[in-house]
Each structure stands twice: as structure tokens, then as C-alpha cells.
Amino acid sequence: MSHRKYFGLLMIAASLFTIGWADSFEAIRAAAGKVTTIQADFIQEKHMPILARPVTAAGHFAYKAPGSLRWEYTKPVQSLLLMHNGEAHRYSRTDKGLTEDTAAVQYMDFVLEEISKWMNGRFDETAMFKASLMPGSKVVMTPIDEGMARFIKRIEMVLADQPGVITEVTIFDDEVAYTRFTFVDPQINIPLPDQLFQAVK
């Protein structure tokens, strides 16, 4: 599996990290354990020195414990990632509508375990990153693997006051290039049907 494809999937994993503010990993896990569902809109901005202005995208996501996920880009191009009952599906918009990208799915298994840990507030248990709690309700994750470190310098997550909510995730390629996700209108513990996460027929 190439580090570049792994990096793209980890961007999604980081963006789905849904815990509340806390001053210890134990308290964070306790807060995350109370989140049964979450959904929100997001805005993605890619910042690079060669860009006159950030490249933006938008969409929404939904999560249902213990491991159902829907991550959908709506602008500028529609794409969809679904995870449910241990199965992953990825779709892209084509002339024929949403078409499944079966080649990309094989790489998702490598990060499903990481996503599960982060969604349950157990991000300090990963073997891929060193997790640190910082002032200002921030979690910083630094790659341990040297190959991964060539593509990700660090991931910074700003926690909201409300348990189960984050306000921002920033993934740094280096000190000047980064991708930022800002989350809008999060809703916690509302009913979400299983059909929302199941494969598109």
C-alpha cells in the first residue's frame, strides 16, 4: 500500500475523530463512550504556498456506534465513503451516476482499526501516532512511522466544550502546506437509520 494512498485515508480518519474536551485520555474515552451518533456538515480547505487562495470542498458526515460511517463530499465533485458491519464502499460521481470504486476499497481495511479507535476516543492506543494533549483543548498526533512522516508532519484537533464534538482538524503536510476541516452544526445522539450507511443499490 502506498504511503500517499494511506495518507488520503488517514485524512478522513482524522476528520472523523469525535470526542469532547477533556484534560486526560481517560476522561476523553469516557466522553466518547457516551456518543452513539453524530452528524455534521464540514468545510475542507487545502492550503499550499503555490496557491493564491485555498482549494475548498464541502460535504457532510454521519457516524453511528460502534463502527458505521458516512463521509460525503457534495462540492465541487460528489463522492461517498461508507463503512458498515465491517464492509467499506467508495463511490465517485460519473456520467452514469454514483459508481463504486472497487480498487480504492482494498486500502480501507488498513485504517478501519485506526478509525474505530479514534471514534471511541482511544487515539492514544494507536501504534501509528504519538498522541499528546496540549493547552487550548487541543490534541496533537505525530507519526511514528518514518514513511508516514514524509507525508504527514502532524495532525492537530481542536476539541469543543460539548462532549462528542470537535470544531476543527488540521493535517499538516509540512509547516506551510496543510488541510483544514471545519465542522458546522454538529448534532449528537439523534436517531440515524442503518440504511444511511449501507451500500448504494
PDB file of all heavy atoms in Angstrom, residues 49-83:
ATOM      1  N   PRO A  49       1.656  26.944  -0.531  1.00  0.00           N
ATOM      2  CA  PRO A  49       2.289  28.205  -0.951  1.00  0.00           C
ATOM      3  C   PRO A  49       2.070  28.544  -2.415  1.00  0.00           C
ATOM      4  O   PRO A  49       2.016  29.717  -2.779  1.00  0.00           O
ATOM      5  CB  PRO A  49       3.774  27.959  -0.649  1.00  0.00           C
ATOM      6  CG  PRO A  49       3.781  26.925   0.429  1.00  0.00           C
ATOM      7  CD  PRO A  49       2.611  26.030   0.131  1.00  0.00           C
ATOM      8  N   ILE A  50       1.920  27.536  -3.267  1.00  0.00           N
ATOM      9  CA  ILE A  50       1.773  27.795  -4.700  1.00  0.00           C
ATOM     10  C   ILE A  50       0.351  28.228  -5.056  1.00  0.00           C
ATOM     11  O   ILE A  50       0.107  28.636  -6.194  1.00  0.00           O
ATOM     12  CB  ILE A  50       2.158  26.561  -5.531  1.00  0.00           C
ATOM     13  CG1 ILE A  50       1.228  25.384  -5.217  1.00  0.00           C
ATOM     14  CG2 ILE A  50       3.613  26.192  -5.303  1.00  0.00           C
ATOM     15  CD1 ILE A  50       1.447  24.183  -6.130  1.00  0.00           C
ATOM     16  N   LEU A  51      -0.589  28.146  -4.098  1.00  0.00           N
ATOM     17  CA  LEU A  51      -1.974  28.503  -4.366  1.00  0.00           C
ATOM     18  C   LEU A  51      -2.239  29.939  -3.952  1.00  0.00           C
ATOM     19  O   LEU A  51      -1.911  30.342  -2.832  1.00  0.00           O
ATOM     20  CB  LEU A  51      -2.915  27.569  -3.608  1.00  0.00           C
ATOM     21  CG  LEU A  51      -2.826  26.078  -3.948  1.00  0.00           C
ATOM     22  CD1 LEU A  51      -3.734  25.275  -3.021  1.00  0.00           C
ATOM     23  CD2 LEU A  51      -3.190  25.832  -5.405  1.00  0.00           C
ATOM     24  N   ALA A  52      -2.863  30.700  -4.833  1.00  0.00           N
ATOM     25  CA  ALA A  52      -3.216  32.080  -4.497  1.00  0.00           C
ATOM     26  C   ALA A  52      -4.300  32.125  -3.430  1.00  0.00           C
ATOM     27  O   ALA A  52      -4.362  33.046  -2.624  1.00  0.00           O
ATOM     28  CB  ALA A  52      -3.680  32.826  -5.745  1.00  0.00           C
ATOM     29  N   ARG A  53      -5.144  31.119  -3.436  1.00  0.00           N
ATOM     30  CA  ARG A  53      -6.197  31.003  -2.429  1.00  0.00           C
ATOM     31  C   ARG A  53      -6.427  29.518  -2.150  1.00  0.00           C
ATOM     32  O   ARG A  53      -6.097  28.660  -2.993  1.00  0.00           O
ATOM     33  CB  ARG A  53      -7.486  31.664  -2.902  1.00  0.00           C
ATOM     34  CG  ARG A  53      -8.099  31.038  -4.140  1.00  0.00           C
ATOM     35  CD  ARG A  53      -9.282  31.854  -4.655  1.00  0.00           C
ATOM     36  NE  ARG A  53      -8.832  33.161  -5.113  1.00  0.00           N
ATOM     37  CZ  ARG A  53      -9.656  34.096  -5.558  1.00  0.00           C
ATOM     38  NH1 ARG A  53     -10.963  33.878  -5.578  1.00  0.00           N
ATOM     39  NH2 ARG A  53      -9.189  35.257  -5.972  1.00  0.00           N
ATOM     40  N   PRO A  54      -6.974  29.166  -1.008  1.00  0.00           N
ATOM     41  CA  PRO A  54      -7.170  27.748  -0.687  1.00  0.00           C
ATOM     42  C   PRO A  54      -8.119  27.057  -1.664  1.00  0.00           C
ATOM     43  O   PRO A  54      -9.051  27.669  -2.187  1.00  0.00           O
ATOM     44  CB  PRO A  54      -7.775  27.786   0.728  1.00  0.00           C
ATOM     45  CG  PRO A  54      -7.438  29.135   1.267  1.00  0.00           C
ATOM     46  CD  PRO A  54      -7.378  30.056   0.093  1.00  0.00           C
ATOM     47  N   VAL A  55      -7.874  25.779  -1.886  1.00  0.00           N
ATOM     48  CA  VAL A  55      -8.802  24.940  -2.633  1.00  0.00           C
ATOM     49  C   VAL A  55      -9.823  24.401  -1.637  1.00  0.00           C
ATOM     50  O   VAL A  55      -9.455  23.793  -0.628  1.00  0.00           O
ATOM     51  CB  VAL A  55      -8.073  23.783  -3.330  1.00  0.00           C
ATOM     52  CG1 VAL A  55      -9.082  22.860  -4.024  1.00  0.00           C
ATOM     53  CG2 VAL A  55      -7.065  24.319  -4.334  1.00  0.00           C
ATOM     54  N   THR A  56     -11.103  24.631  -1.907  1.00  0.00           N
ATOM     55  CA  THR A  56     -12.123  24.282  -0.933  1.00  0.00           C
ATOM     56  C   THR A  56     -13.037  23.170  -1.435  1.00  0.00           C
ATOM     57  O   THR A  56     -13.210  22.960  -2.644  1.00  0.00           O
ATOM     58  CB  THR A  56     -12.984  25.506  -0.570  1.00  0.00           C
ATOM     59  OG1 THR A  56     -13.662  25.970  -1.745  1.00  0.00           O
ATOM     60  CG2 THR A  56     -12.115  26.627  -0.011  1.00  0.00           C
ATOM     61  N   ALA A  57     -13.594  22.456  -0.486  1.00  0.00           N
ATOM     62  CA  ALA A  57     -14.610  21.435  -0.752  1.00  0.00           C
ATOM     63  C   ALA A  57     -15.556  21.430   0.433  1.00  0.00           C
ATOM     64  O   ALA A  57     -15.259  21.989   1.491  1.00  0.00           O
ATOM     65  CB  ALA A  57     -13.966  20.068  -0.949  1.00  0.00           C
ATOM     66  N   ALA A  58     -16.715  20.813   0.247  1.00  0.00           N
ATOM     67  CA  ALA A  58     -17.708  20.788   1.315  1.00  0.00           C
ATOM     68  C   ALA A  58     -18.482  19.490   1.260  1.00  0.00           C
ATOM     69  O   ALA A  58     -18.526  18.798   0.232  1.00  0.00           O
ATOM     70  CB  ALA A  58     -18.660  21.983   1.201  1.00  0.00           C
ATOM     71  N   GLY A  59     -19.092  19.156   2.382  1.00  0.00           N
ATOM     72  CA  GLY A  59     -19.890  17.942   2.440  1.00  0.00           C
ATOM     73  C   GLY A  59     -20.454  17.729   3.823  1.00  0.00           C
ATOM     74  O   GLY A  59     -20.551  18.658   4.621  1.00  0.00           O
ATOM     75  N   HIS A  60     -20.813  16.495   4.107  1.00  0.00           N
ATOM     76  CA  HIS A  60     -21.302  16.172   5.437  1.00  0.00           C
ATOM     77  C   HIS A  60     -20.942  14.736   5.779  1.00  0.00           C
ATOM     78  O   HIS A  60     -20.635  13.915   4.904  1.00  0.00           O
ATOM     79  CB  HIS A  60     -22.814  16.407   5.543  1.00  0.00           C
ATOM     80  CG  HIS A  60     -23.626  15.692   4.507  1.00  0.00           C
ATOM     81  ND1 HIS A  60     -23.995  16.291   3.333  1.00  0.00           N
ATOM     82  CD2 HIS A  60     -24.135  14.438   4.474  1.00  0.00           C
ATOM     83  CE1 HIS A  60     -24.704  15.444   2.606  1.00  0.00           C
ATOM     84  NE2 HIS A  60     -24.799  14.305   3.272  1.00  0.00           N
ATOM     85  N   PHE A  61     -20.958  14.448   7.092  1.00  0.00           N
ATOM     86  CA  PHE A  61     -20.664  13.101   7.532  1.00  0.00           C
ATOM     87  C   PHE A  61     -21.623  12.694   8.627  1.00  0.00           C
ATOM     88  O   PHE A  61     -22.281  13.519   9.271  1.00  0.00           O
ATOM     89  CB  PHE A  61     -19.216  12.969   8.009  1.00  0.00           C
ATOM     90  CG  PHE A  61     -18.968  13.438   9.418  1.00  0.00           C
ATOM     91  CD1 PHE A  61     -19.064  12.557  10.478  1.00  0.00           C
ATOM     92  CD2 PHE A  61     -18.629  14.753   9.679  1.00  0.00           C
ATOM     93  CE1 PHE A  61     -18.837  12.977  11.777  1.00  0.00           C
ATOM     94  CE2 PHE A  61     -18.389  15.181  10.968  1.00  0.00           C
ATOM     95  CZ  PHE A  61     -18.496  14.298  12.028  1.00  0.00           C
ATOM     96  N   ALA A  62     -21.696  11.373   8.835  1.00  0.00           N
ATOM     97  CA  ALA A  62     -22.516  10.814   9.901  1.00  0.00           C
ATOM     98  C   ALA A  62     -21.797   9.596  10.460  1.00  0.00           C
ATOM     99  O   ALA A  62     -21.117   8.864   9.729  1.00  0.00           O
ATOM    100  CB  ALA A  62     -23.901  10.431   9.385  1.00  0.00           C
ATOM    101  N   TYR A  63     -21.947   9.390  11.760  1.00  0.00           N
ATOM    102  CA  TYR A  63     -21.329   8.247  12.434  1.00  0.00           C
ATOM    103  C   TYR A  63     -22.346   7.637  13.385  1.00  0.00           C
ATOM    104  O   TYR A  63     -23.104   8.348  14.050  1.00  0.00           O
ATOM    105  CB  TYR A  63     -20.096   8.683  13.221  1.00  0.00           C
ATOM    106  CG  TYR A  63     -19.628   7.662  14.231  1.00  0.00           C
ATOM    107  CD1 TYR A  63     -18.930   6.529  13.835  1.00  0.00           C
ATOM    108  CD2 TYR A  63     -19.886   7.837  15.587  1.00  0.00           C
ATOM    109  CE1 TYR A  63     -18.504   5.583  14.767  1.00  0.00           C
ATOM    110  CE2 TYR A  63     -19.461   6.900  16.526  1.00  0.00           C
ATOM    111  CZ  TYR A  63     -18.771   5.781  16.117  1.00  0.00           C
ATOM    112  OH  TYR A  63     -18.355   4.851  17.036  1.00  0.00           O
ATOM    113  N   LYS A  64     -22.350   6.307  13.437  1.00  0.00           N
ATOM    114  CA  LYS A  64     -23.211   5.580  14.367  1.00  0.00           C
ATOM    115  C   LYS A  64     -22.392   4.481  15.014  1.00  0.00           C
ATOM    116  O   LYS A  64     -21.770   3.663  14.322  1.00  0.00           O
ATOM    117  CB  LYS A  64     -24.412   4.991  13.630  1.00  0.00           C
ATOM    118  CG  LYS A  64     -25.418   4.269  14.521  1.00  0.00           C
ATOM    119  CD  LYS A  64     -26.627   3.818  13.709  1.00  0.00           C
ATOM    120  CE  LYS A  64     -27.670   3.147  14.583  1.00  0.00           C
ATOM    121  NZ  LYS A  64     -28.861   2.730  13.792  1.00  0.00           N
ATOM    122  N   ALA A  65     -22.343   4.484  16.337  1.00  0.00           N
ATOM    123  CA  ALA A  65     -21.574   3.479  17.064  1.00  0.00           C
ATOM    124  C   ALA A  65     -22.157   2.083  16.797  1.00  0.00           C
ATOM    125  O   ALA A  65     -23.362   1.928  16.608  1.00  0.00           O
ATOM    126  CB  ALA A  65     -21.606   3.802  18.553  1.00  0.00           C
ATOM    127  N   PRO A  66     -21.304   1.061  16.735  1.00  0.00           N
ATOM    128  CA  PRO A  66     -19.871   1.126  17.064  1.00  0.00           C
ATOM    129  C   PRO A  66     -18.944   1.395  15.878  1.00  0.00           C
ATOM    130  O   PRO A  66     -17.784   1.699  16.075  1.00  0.00           O
ATOM    131  CB  PRO A  66     -19.603  -0.285  17.611  1.00  0.00           C
ATOM    132  CG  PRO A  66     -20.543  -1.150  16.825  1.00  0.00           C
ATOM    133  CD  PRO A  66     -21.784  -0.326  16.631  1.00  0.00           C
ATOM    134  N   GLY A  67     -19.437   1.289  14.618  1.00  0.00           N
ATOM    135  CA  GLY A  67     -18.494   1.466  13.519  1.00  0.00           C
ATOM    136  C   GLY A  67     -19.115   1.775  12.175  1.00  0.00           C
ATOM    137  O   GLY A  67     -18.565   1.406  11.131  1.00  0.00           O
ATOM    138  N   SER A  68     -20.266   2.444  12.163  1.00  0.00           N
ATOM    139  CA  SER A  68     -20.900   2.817  10.888  1.00  0.00           C
ATOM    140  C   SER A  68     -20.550   4.262  10.545  1.00  0.00           C
ATOM    141  O   SER A  68     -20.638   5.144  11.396  1.00  0.00           O
ATOM    142  CB  SER A  68     -22.420   2.659  10.980  1.00  0.00           C
ATOM    143  OG  SER A  68     -22.773   1.297  11.183  1.00  0.00           O
ATOM    144  N   LEU A  69     -20.197   4.501   9.297  1.00  0.00           N
ATOM    145  CA  LEU A  69     -19.690   5.804   8.894  1.00  0.00           C
ATOM    146  C   LEU A  69     -20.186   6.173   7.504  1.00  0.00           C
ATOM    147  O   LEU A  69     -20.234   5.332   6.604  1.00  0.00           O
ATOM    148  CB  LEU A  69     -18.162   5.768   8.900  1.00  0.00           C
ATOM    149  CG  LEU A  69     -17.425   6.926   8.250  1.00  0.00           C
ATOM    150  CD1 LEU A  69     -17.596   8.184   9.092  1.00  0.00           C
ATOM    151  CD2 LEU A  69     -15.954   6.583   8.091  1.00  0.00           C
ATOM    152  N   ARG A  70     -20.540   7.446   7.343  1.00  0.00           N
ATOM    153  CA  ARG A  70     -20.865   8.001   6.033  1.00  0.00           C
ATOM    154  C   ARG A  70     -20.124   9.323   5.895  1.00  0.00           C
ATOM    155  O   ARG A  70     -20.315  10.241   6.698  1.00  0.00           O
ATOM    156  CB  ARG A  70     -22.369   8.237   5.889  1.00  0.00           C
ATOM    157  CG  ARG A  70     -22.776   8.772   4.500  1.00  0.00           C
ATOM    158  CD  ARG A  70     -24.261   9.087   4.466  1.00  0.00           C
ATOM    159  NE  ARG A  70     -24.678   9.584   3.173  1.00  0.00           N
ATOM    160  CZ  ARG A  70     -25.217   8.827   2.201  1.00  0.00           C
ATOM    161  NH1 ARG A  70     -25.419   7.536   2.425  1.00  0.00           N
ATOM    162  NH2 ARG A  70     -25.572   9.356   1.041  1.00  0.00           N
ATOM    163  N   TRP A  71     -19.246   9.414   4.911  1.00  0.00           N
ATOM    164  CA  TRP A  71     -18.462  10.624   4.650  1.00  0.00           C
ATOM    165  C   TRP A  71     -18.703  11.001   3.197  1.00  0.00           C
ATOM    166  O   TRP A  71     -18.324  10.273   2.280  1.00  0.00           O
ATOM    167  CB  TRP A  71     -16.979  10.361   4.904  1.00  0.00           C
ATOM    168  CG  TRP A  71     -16.109  11.554   4.666  1.00  0.00           C
ATOM    169  CD1 TRP A  71     -15.476  11.901   3.519  1.00  0.00           C
ATOM    170  CD2 TRP A  71     -15.782  12.561   5.629  1.00  0.00           C
ATOM    171  NE1 TRP A  71     -14.769  13.056   3.685  1.00  0.00           N
ATOM    172  CE2 TRP A  71     -14.936  13.485   4.979  1.00  0.00           C
ATOM    173  CE3 TRP A  71     -16.123  12.767   6.968  1.00  0.00           C
ATOM    174  CZ2 TRP A  71     -14.428  14.604   5.627  1.00  0.00           C
ATOM    175  CZ3 TRP A  71     -15.604  13.876   7.612  1.00  0.00           C
ATOM    176  CH2 TRP A  71     -14.768  14.782   6.948  1.00  0.00           C
ATOM    177  N   GLU A  72     -19.347  12.138   2.962  1.00  0.00           N
ATOM    178  CA  GLU A  72     -19.780  12.501   1.619  1.00  0.00           C
ATOM    179  C   GLU A  72     -19.325  13.903   1.241  1.00  0.00           C
ATOM    180  O   GLU A  72     -19.593  14.866   1.961  1.00  0.00           O
ATOM    181  CB  GLU A  72     -21.304  12.423   1.524  1.00  0.00           C
ATOM    182  CG  GLU A  72     -21.846  12.705   0.130  1.00  0.00           C
ATOM    183  CD  GLU A  72     -23.337  12.476   0.026  1.00  0.00           C
ATOM    184  OE1 GLU A  72     -23.988  12.281   1.080  1.00  0.00           O
ATOM    185  OE2 GLU A  72     -23.859  12.481  -1.101  1.00  0.00           O
ATOM    186  N   TYR A  73     -18.626  13.990   0.105  1.00  0.00           N
ATOM    187  CA  TYR A  73     -18.323  15.293  -0.492  1.00  0.00           C
ATOM    188  C   TYR A  73     -19.464  15.659  -1.440  1.00  0.00           C
ATOM    189  O   TYR A  73     -19.870  14.855  -2.279  1.00  0.00           O
ATOM    190  CB  TYR A  73     -17.016  15.241  -1.282  1.00  0.00           C
ATOM    191  CG  TYR A  73     -15.771  15.236  -0.436  1.00  0.00           C
ATOM    192  CD1 TYR A  73     -15.154  14.043  -0.075  1.00  0.00           C
ATOM    193  CD2 TYR A  73     -15.211  16.434   0.012  1.00  0.00           C
ATOM    194  CE1 TYR A  73     -14.009  14.038   0.708  1.00  0.00           C
ATOM    195  CE2 TYR A  73     -14.066  16.437   0.792  1.00  0.00           C
ATOM    196  CZ  TYR A  73     -13.471  15.233   1.134  1.00  0.00           C
ATOM    197  OH  TYR A  73     -12.337  15.242   1.914  1.00  0.00           O
ATOM    198  N   THR A  74     -19.962  16.884  -1.294  1.00  0.00           N
ATOM    199  CA  THR A  74     -21.027  17.369  -2.175  1.00  0.00           C
ATOM    200  C   THR A  74     -20.543  18.442  -3.145  1.00  0.00           C
ATOM    201  O   THR A  74     -21.155  18.653  -4.179  1.00  0.00           O
ATOM    202  CB  THR A  74     -22.189  17.926  -1.345  1.00  0.00           C
ATOM    203  OG1 THR A  74     -21.701  18.948  -0.461  1.00  0.00           O
ATOM    204  CG2 THR A  74     -22.838  16.818  -0.523  1.00  0.00           C
ATOM    205  N   LYS A  75     -19.457  19.141  -2.806  1.00  0.00           N
ATOM    206  CA  LYS A  75     -18.880  20.183  -3.646  1.00  0.00           C
ATOM    207  C   LYS A  75     -17.361  20.101  -3.568  1.00  0.00           C
ATOM    208  O   LYS A  75     -16.814  19.831  -2.508  1.00  0.00           O
ATOM    209  CB  LYS A  75     -19.339  21.582  -3.179  1.00  0.00           C
ATOM    210  CG  LYS A  75     -20.827  21.834  -3.250  1.00  0.00           C
ATOM    211  CD  LYS A  75     -21.148  23.227  -2.702  1.00  0.00           C
ATOM    212  CE  LYS A  75     -22.631  23.503  -2.723  1.00  0.00           C
ATOM    213  NZ  LYS A  75     -22.952  24.838  -2.168  1.00  0.00           N
ATOM    214  N   PRO A  76     -16.648  20.325  -4.663  1.00  0.00           N
ATOM    215  CA  PRO A  76     -17.144  20.611  -6.023  1.00  0.00           C
ATOM    216  C   PRO A  76     -17.549  19.353  -6.792  1.00  0.00           C
ATOM    217  O   PRO A  76     -18.238  19.436  -7.794  1.00  0.00           O
ATOM    218  CB  PRO A  76     -15.950  21.291  -6.683  1.00  0.00           C
ATOM    219  CG  PRO A  76     -14.771  20.661  -6.016  1.00  0.00           C
ATOM    220  CD  PRO A  76     -15.192  20.425  -4.583  1.00  0.00           C
ATOM    221  N   VAL A  77     -17.092  18.178  -6.336  1.00  0.00           N
ATOM    222  CA  VAL A  77     -17.416  16.911  -7.002  1.00  0.00           C
ATOM    223  C   VAL A  77     -17.960  15.949  -5.954  1.00  0.00           C
ATOM    224  O   VAL A  77     -17.406  15.826  -4.858  1.00  0.00           O
ATOM    225  CB  VAL A  77     -16.172  16.304  -7.688  1.00  0.00           C
ATOM    226  CG1 VAL A  77     -16.535  14.983  -8.357  1.00  0.00           C
ATOM    227  CG2 VAL A  77     -15.590  17.277  -8.706  1.00  0.00           C
ATOM    228  N   GLN A  78     -19.020  15.259  -6.286  1.00  0.00           N
ATOM    229  CA  GLN A  78     -19.619  14.349  -5.331  1.00  0.00           C
ATOM    230  C   GLN A  78     -18.839  13.048  -5.249  1.00  0.00           C
ATOM    231  O   GLN A  78     -18.463  12.455  -6.257  1.00  0.00           O
ATOM    232  CB  GLN A  78     -21.067  14.036  -5.704  1.00  0.00           C
ATOM    233  CG  GLN A  78     -21.775  13.159  -4.664  1.00  0.00           C
ATOM    234  CD  GLN A  78     -23.193  12.808  -5.075  1.00  0.00           C
ATOM    235  OE1 GLN A  78     -23.563  12.948  -6.231  1.00  0.00           O
ATOM    236  NE2 GLN A  78     -23.983  12.335  -4.123  1.00  0.00           N
ATOM    237  N   SER A  79     -18.576  12.603  -4.026  1.00  0.00           N
ATOM    238  CA  SER A  79     -18.026  11.277  -3.782  1.00  0.00           C
ATOM    239  C   SER A  79     -18.540  10.817  -2.432  1.00  0.00           C
ATOM    240  O   SER A  79     -18.983  11.625  -1.607  1.00  0.00           O
ATOM    241  CB  SER A  79     -16.498  11.281  -3.815  1.00  0.00           C
ATOM    242  OG  SER A  79     -15.976  12.082  -2.765  1.00  0.00           O
ATOM    243  N   LEU A  80     -18.472   9.519  -2.183  1.00  0.00           N
ATOM    244  CA  LEU A  80     -19.107   8.963  -0.995  1.00  0.00           C
ATOM    245  C   LEU A  80     -18.296   7.796  -0.472  1.00  0.00           C
ATOM    246  O   LEU A  80     -17.879   6.919  -1.233  1.00  0.00           O
ATOM    247  CB  LEU A  80     -20.523   8.500  -1.350  1.00  0.00           C
ATOM    248  CG  LEU A  80     -21.347   7.813  -0.268  1.00  0.00           C
ATOM    249  CD1 LEU A  80     -21.622   8.767   0.894  1.00  0.00           C
ATOM    250  CD2 LEU A  80     -22.656   7.291  -0.855  1.00  0.00           C
ATOM    251  N   LEU A  81     -18.055   7.798   0.849  1.00  0.00           N
ATOM    252  CA  LEU A  81     -17.409   6.691   1.531  1.00  0.00           C
ATOM    253  C   LEU A  81     -18.371   6.156   2.576  1.00  0.00           C
ATOM    254  O   LEU A  81     -18.910   6.908   3.388  1.00  0.00           O
ATOM    255  CB  LEU A  81     -16.112   7.147   2.203  1.00  0.00           C
ATOM    256  CG  LEU A  81     -15.453   6.146   3.157  1.00  0.00           C
ATOM    257  CD1 LEU A  81     -14.968   4.912   2.390  1.00  0.00           C
ATOM    258  CD2 LEU A  81     -14.302   6.792   3.911  1.00  0.00           C
ATOM    259  N   LEU A  82     -18.594   4.831   2.550  1.00  0.00           N
ATOM    260  CA  LEU A  82     -19.485   4.186   3.502  1.00  0.00           C
ATOM    261  C   LEU A  82     -18.757   3.054   4.202  1.00  0.00           C
ATOM    262  O   LEU A  82     -18.000   2.308   3.575  1.00  0.00           O
ATOM    263  CB  LEU A  82     -20.717   3.609   2.784  1.00  0.00           C
ATOM    264  CG  LEU A  82     -21.632   4.593   2.050  1.00  0.00           C
ATOM    265  CD1 LEU A  82     -22.657   3.828   1.227  1.00  0.00           C
ATOM    266  CD2 LEU A  82     -22.314   5.528   3.033  1.00  0.00           C
ATOM    267  N   MET A  83     -18.991   2.922   5.505  1.00  0.00           N
ATOM    268  CA  MET A  83     -18.498   1.793   6.278  1.00  0.00           C
ATOM    269  C   MET A  83     -19.625   1.289   7.161  1.00  0.00           C
ATOM    270  O   MET A  83     -20.259   2.075   7.875  1.00  0.00           O
ATOM    271  CB  MET A  83     -17.302   2.201   7.142  1.00  0.00           C
ATOM    272  CG  MET A  83     -16.085   2.627   6.366  1.00  0.00           C
ATOM    273  SD  MET A  83     -14.695   3.040   7.443  1.00  0.00           S
ATOM    274  CE  MET A  83     -13.526   3.685   6.255  1.00  0.00           C
TER     275      MET A  83
END
